[in-house]
Amino acid sequence: MCGIIGFTGTLDATNVLTKGLSQLEYRGYDSAGIAFFENESIRTIKTTGKVQCLKEKVEAANVTGATCGIGHTRWATHGGVSDINSHPHTFGNVTLIHNGIIENYKELQEELALQGKTPVSQTDTEIAAMVIDDCFTGDPIEAIKKADARLEGQYGFCVMFKGHPGKIFCIRNGSPLVATHAEAGSVIASDMVALLDYSKDYFVLPEHVIATLTKDEITLVDLEGNSVEPEMLHVDWDVDAAMKGGYEYFMLKEIHDQPDALMNTIRPRVKNGLPTFEADNVPDEVFTHCNRILITACGTAMHAGLVGKNLIERLAKVPVTVDVASEFRYNEPIMDENTLLITISQSGETADTLAAIRLAKEHGAKTLSIVNVKGSTIARESDYVLYTHAGPEIAVASTKAYTVQLSVFYLIAARFAFVTNKLNEEETKTFIANLENAIESLNEILEKEMDFDEVSASLDNATSLFYIGRGLDECLSREGSLKLKEISYIHSEAYAAGELKHGTISLITDDVPVIALATQHNVYSKMISNIREVKARGAKVILITNGEDESIDESICSFQVSIPKVDDMFAPFGTAVIVQYLAYFCAVRRGLNVDQPRNLAKSVTVE
Ligand code: M6R
């Protein structure tokens, strides 16, 4: 959720930290702060608001010569949004930043109160600072070890101790921390994007291992005091990939990134026209030895799973169920060694999705994850990983991460069907060729970008609308609806088109527009009937078709928007781009911050 960064080296730490916080701001943006060594003492500057507000405060503070510090962007969990609740927090000898939740903070607070120690903020983080200070008798590593035994919950901490200038001590449980030592010094952050300026080689800090960062090196010790060798990873993202590249918003750039991101994800997995996961070390037995599949994920990633279910059941004829990860483990899912759990996550850190993997493993099920961030916790804890190659996704609203997740499901369904003889070689090759064609056709949609602005203008006064569809279009309706709610704040509901008349159609009036997805020919005429039903109740309809239908006139819809004609099964790619554009332009037209919608954070590492 929150973004954290620590730096010690030869550069101006305030610059490194504020720049890093700007890159991490998508993780949380209600307040921000930094703390740094100024000579021997620690100075803190923090504020509510965006990183830009912090930058202004730092500039006005005339800091010189700071080369070691820590920084934080907050997404409030415990305690409201206020200067005092912003990080870093200091208590006694300890100044720290934290990503996560301390679950036993109330008990700890009561224990500390017996010693007359009281916090000044309402945060669980300050309690963690108090606990570490309580354990401190001069040796930072010993203090962290002892505190680690007292703290429950998820945490990634970067800690500075009075009397230990130039050093940052870090530990994590659950929450992500990645680090690198480069020419400029040592850097640690909650996300790889903040390291890219310094190095593409990095490591994930193992859980319950204490890292000590100095300008010359990073050393790691476990809780028994043994030194630990980091497992180095390399990322092929470049700094430009994490910049806007001339676009007004990251979201718009990321919409445009999709054809390349999709090809980068698919091409290494197609040999002689057939899908293969050989290079991913996913053996065919994963499919041939499984008699049922459970898919779980959150938000947009779960919506990719809905499409995955449709494809796998249609092609491989294996039963699939899809559940949101926040419900998954409480629904007592039936799993055994013949079950395959497929999880999907852009960040690879979503707490509920991770919990589902852990539960599946307890039941002996195999776990396969579709993940964008290399070395993330979900990737490391799954039996098998299929990485998507979307590059960094910075906008909170997921776009390219979603379509690359879809593409992996097309590959899984095709490989599964091929190795279980449900599709022969020729059929499989045709399927893959259709997939590639559908991706290439996205460029035609991107070229028509401003058409979607015009269509969105018809929603300028809308406060509530419906997305409707059948089959794959119903899955895409859910994604379109989420995207719209998330960034334009228009209330929207996705509905199976045939279900409306069982109650919900009472909400349709001339003030409630309907976006109808009708790309599937087997249910097209039924969709048109459903559209007539809402039209008859006054709804203004935007219709999305697979290739233009010239027979459509104003009696059916106000706007017809078509994707370039593709085989129905591949329509989700084009439809996804169109619903992304509709949400994007609705938000822009309302003057909203498209990349950082209110109340949200990119990566949800708490349950
Ligand atoms: O990192 P993840 O893919 O696990 O994140 C899951 C959801 O939080 C995410 O897809 C969210 O729904 C998006 N912001 C929606 O655009």
Side-chain angles (χ1 to χ4, degrees):
M1 314 285 295
C2 307
I4 65 183
I5 180 165
F7 171 79
T8 178
T10 53
L11 304 175
D12 176 342
T14 61
N15 281 343
V16 174
L17 298 175
T18 51
K19 183 173 183 200
L21 291 180
S22 302
Q23 290 161 329
L24 293 169
E25 195 168 21
Y26 67 97
R27 295 183 68 98
Y29 31 84
D30 58 45
S31 41
I34 60 171
F36 47 88
F37 279 100
E38 204 168 43
N39 303 316
E40 296 286 298
S41 53
I42 295 173
R43 182 172 170 193
T44 298
I45 303 174
K46 56 187 189 175
T47 179
T48 49
K50 303 268 182 198
V51 174
Q52 187 52 36
C53 305
L54 175 70
K55 279 185 180 165
E56 285 158 19
K57 248 184 154 170
V58 172
E59 269 161 34
N62 285 324
V63 183
T64 51
T67 56
C68 173
I70 54 182
H72 187 270
T73 59
R74 181 166 187 246
W75 187 85
T77 54
H78 291 66
V81 178
S82 66
D83 285 0
I84 202 84
N85 287 340
S86 316
H87 301 213
H89 288 279
T90 298
F91 196 90
N93 293 291
V94 169
T95 298
L96 63 69
I97 50 176
H98 168 219
N99 176 18
I101 288 184
I102 305 300
E103 286 165 3
N104 60 337
Y105 81 101
K106 276 245 174 277
E107 296 91 298
L108 293 167
Q109 187 171 351
E110 281 161 17
E111 265 175 47
L112 292 159
L114 295 176
Q115 299 175 41
K117 296 177 181 173
T118 48
V120 294
S121 75
Q122 293 84 50
T123 64
D124 54 334
T125 300
E126 191 184 355
I127 305 300
M130 293 168 76
V131 170
I132 298 175
D133 183 69
D134 193 48
C135 299
F136 183 62
T137 52
D139 181 342
I141 293 187
E142 283 308 312
I144 292 176
K145 272 189 209 169
K146 285 184 196 150
D148 187 64
R150 290 171 65 182
L151 296 167
E152 286 168 21
Q154 297 143 39
Y155 43 87
F157 290 122
C158 292
V159 194
M160 298 195 303
F161 288 83
K162 208 183 275 174
H164 294 266
K167 289 187 180 168
I168 301 168
F169 301 87
C170 312
I171 191 165
R172 75 180 192 96
N173 177 42
S175 306
L177 277 178
V178 290
T180 189
H181 179 72
E183 214 185 319
S186 301
V187 200
I188 191 157
S190 44
D191 195 318
M192 179 60 208
V193 290
L195 306 186
L196 282 173
D197 277 329
Y198 310 97
S199 177
K200 288 186 184 177
D201 297 309
Y202 69 104
F203 64 89
V204 178
L205 180 64
E207 290 189 355
H208 303 288
V209 163
I210 301 166
T212 306
L213 278 71
T214 67
K215 75 175 174 33
D216 301 315
E217 60 176 353
I218 303 178
T219 52
L220 307 183
V221 287
D222 65 19
L223 296 176
E224 280 75 50
N226 305 307
S227 72
V228 174
E229 269 308 304
E231 193 184 314
M232 295 308 292
L233 297 167
H234 180 80
V235 74
D236 45 17
W237 303 350
D238 57 24
V239 181
D240 290 348
M243 316 259 279
K244 281 190 205 155
Y247 290 95
E248 196 180 351
Y249 287 102
F250 277 110
M251 183 178 174
L252 188 59
K253 172 186 177 279
E254 289 160 5
I255 288 174
H256 279 260
D257 283 347
Q258 291 181 102
D260 286 347
L262 281 159
M263 282 308 184
N264 291 341
T265 301
I266 289 172
R267 281 216 172 110
R269 295 177 173 126
V270 176
K271 292 237 164 67
N272 302 322
L274 290 171
T276 167
F277 299 124
E278 216 178 315
D280 301 289
N281 295 317
V282 179
D284 288 335
E285 290 71 54
V286 171
F287 307 121
T288 53
H289 289 178
C290 119
N291 57 22
R292 84 185 268 264
I293 293 183
L294 306 183
I295 297 178
T296 195
C298 296
T300 287
M302 191 278 287
H303 294 157
L306 294 173
V307 174
K309 168 186 161 72
N310 184 302
L311 299 171
I312 294 170
E313 287 188 337
R314 268 211 263 177
L315 266 63
K317 316 282 181 216
V318 168
V320 183
T321 51
V322 184
D323 212 347
V324 286
S326 53
E327 291 295 319
F328 181 84
R329 61 194 180 286
Y330 305 111
N331 288 342
E332 300 186 21
I334 301 161
M335 297 184 273
D336 61 22
E337 56 286 357
N338 296 317
T339 309
L340 174 65
L341 175 77
I342 304 182
T343 56
I344 315 139
S345 178
Q346 187 287 128
S347 62
E349 301 295 347
T350 301
D352 286 314
T353 309
L354 181 60
I357 294 171
R358 291 177 177 165
L359 181 70
K361 287 179 130 182
E362 280 170 27
H363 286 256
K366 294 275 173 301
T367 56
L368 165 70
S369 63
I370 301 170
V371 175
N372 197 42
V373 177
K374 228 182 194 175
S376 53
T377 313
I378 288 176
R380 282 181 292 110
E381 293 208 11
S382 303
D383 297 318
Y384 306 100
V385 189
L386 292 172
Y387 281 112
T388 51
H389 299 297
E393 190 180 67
I394 308 292
V396 166
S398 192
T399 52
K400 61 179 177 175
Y402 171 68
T403 46
V404 293
Q405 288 160 355
L406 293 186
S407 72
V408 173
F409 273 115
Y410 280 79
L411 296 175
I412 289 175
R415 183 76 202 173
F416 202 147
F418 179 61
V419 298
T420 52
N421 299 318
K422 308 286 184 337
L423 284 184
N424 65 29
E425 185 170 330
E426 201 189 319
E427 287 164 336
T428 312
K429 283 184 172 172
T430 306
F431 182 89
I432 295 297
N434 281 338
L435 173 63
E436 291 178 345
N437 289 342
I439 292 166
E440 270 160 32
S441 75
L442 296 186
N443 289 310
E444 283 177 48
I445 302 177
L446 300 179
E447 280 162 19
K448 290 195 292 187
E449 181 162 292
M450 291 321 287
D451 292 2
F452 306 114
D453 184 26
E454 196 188 324
V455 178
S456 304
S458 69
L459 302 174
D460 277 353
N461 299 319
T463 53
S464 184
L465 64 75
F466 278 84
Y467 255 102
I468 60 170
R470 287 169 173 258
L472 282 172
D473 284 330
E474 202 249 311
C475 309
L476 269 289
S477 292
R478 299 219 209 171
E479 177 54 11
S481 182
L482 171 62
K483 211 93 302 171
L484 194 78
K485 282 183 276 212
E486 186 178 20
I487 60 169
S488 76
Y489 314 151
I490 300 175
H491 171 258
S492 161
E493 200 170 336
Y495 231 77
E499 271 300 292
L500 272 184
K501 56 181 149 310
H502 297 287
T504 311
I505 203 163
S506 62
L507 292 174
I508 301 290
T509 63
D510 50 8
D511 290 333
V512 180
V514 171
I515 304 178
L517 307 184
T519 67
Q520 304 296 303
H521 288 92
N522 62 332
V523 286
Y524 189 70
S525 57
K526 294 190 196 312
M527 270 305 294
I528 297 297
S529 304
N530 297 142
I531 291 167
R532 287 190 191 283
E533 288 157 11
V534 293
K535 188 83 184 148
R537 276 126 190 117
K540 185 160 55 184
V541 175
I542 296 172
L543 172 64
I544 299 176
T545 54
N546 183 355
E548 194 172 341
D549 179 351
E550 287 175 359
S551 71
I552 295 290
D553 59 27
E554 282 166 10
S555 70
I556 296 177
C557 65
S558 312
F559 289 95
Q560 179 186 177
V561 180
S562 57
I563 61 167
K565 182 132 189 42
V566 290
D567 184 285
D568 289 0
M569 218 189 257
F570 303 89
F573 293 99
T575 310
V577 176
I578 290 177
V579 299
Q580 292 164 0
Y581 266 133
L582 293 180
Y584 172 81
F585 282 115
C586 281
V588 170
R589 297 180 66 81
R590 284 165 195 240
L592 299 170
N593 183 340
V594 173
D595 288 336
Q596 295 176 351
R598 70 183 174 213
N599 302 341
L600 288 165
K602 180 74 178 163
S603 175
V604 183
T605 51
V606 294
E607 290 173 19

